[in-house]
Amino acid sequence: MEFADVVRRRRMVRNYDPDRPVPPEVVEKLLRHATHAPSAGFSQGWAFLVLETPEERARFWDAATPKTEVWRQWLTNMRKAPLLIVPLSHKAAYLSRYAEADKGWTDQDEARWPVPYWHIDTGMASLLMLLTAVDEGLGACFFGVPPERIDAFREAFGVPAEYTPIGAVSVGYRAPDHRSKSLKRGRRGLDDVVHRGAWGNTGAPEVASGG
């Protein structure tokens, strides 16, 4: 598939064919492509928990999602996904990497970081998985793990405390589903989000003129 078509066709898929597992070679491709995401200092501070068996997936849904009616309805079709991948970020890998000699810092002060690159880079790895799924004729959805369920998730799968789940990715062959109501908002145009040269429509700061 042409790359432009992959980008155009990517959307969050929330219903899957439970009788069509993701082929092993495609699972490997999803993971391999994820590791090609950029990472600051080539820290590669990420990990991926792969859940494929019915028991593993059921344990995830039980541990990582609230027991509310809203979530129950949302999960009705999501639970059909034959593959779940949980991307986890590892902050310590970045702090220690940038305390090495070639980076010039002598401490691991988190305040040096303008934004948490460990989360950002793991998010980029997740996006590569989403795009790979489209290219392989699959559907996928990135969704969050509620903060109050993270401890239960870690306990259920033995995840060390220093690894943070930034979300989860469900993958499978698409089944008919309803497009998100949020899409009615429409995609913002370039004129709304792009500022060329300076902030604002003119591209340059206004200069007062004499009269």
Side-chain angles (χ1 to χ4, degrees), residues 34 42 45 49 54 60-61 95 106 110 117 135 142 156 182 193:
F42 210 38
L49 178 66
F60 171 84
W61 295 120
L95 300 184
T106 58
E110 187 177 342
Y117 272 79
D135 194 46
F142 181 91
S182 298
V193 299

Side-chain angles (χ1 to χ4, degrees), residues 70-92:
V70 172
W71 274 83
R72 187 193 68 79
Q73 293 180 6
W74 185 74
L75 291 177
T76 298
N77 292 324
M78 286 287 288
R79 290 179 70 106
K80 298 177 183 178
L83 172 65
L84 297 173
I85 301 176
V86 184
L88 304 112
S89 66
H90 187 204
K91 176 171 67 175

Side-chain angles (χ1 to χ4, degrees), residues 36-53:
H36 283 269
S39 67
F42 210 38
S43 301
Q44 303 171 82
W46 46 49
F48 307 96
L49 178 66
V50 181
L51 308 174
E52 297 181 89
T53 70

Side-chain angles (χ1 to χ4, degrees), residues 49 60 63-64 86 88 145 149-157 159 165:
L49 178 66
F60 171 84
V86 184
L88 304 112
V145 176
R149 304 303 302 175
I150 289 179
D151 287 343
F153 161 77
R154 285 198 176 106
E155 182 178 355
F157 294 98
V159 175

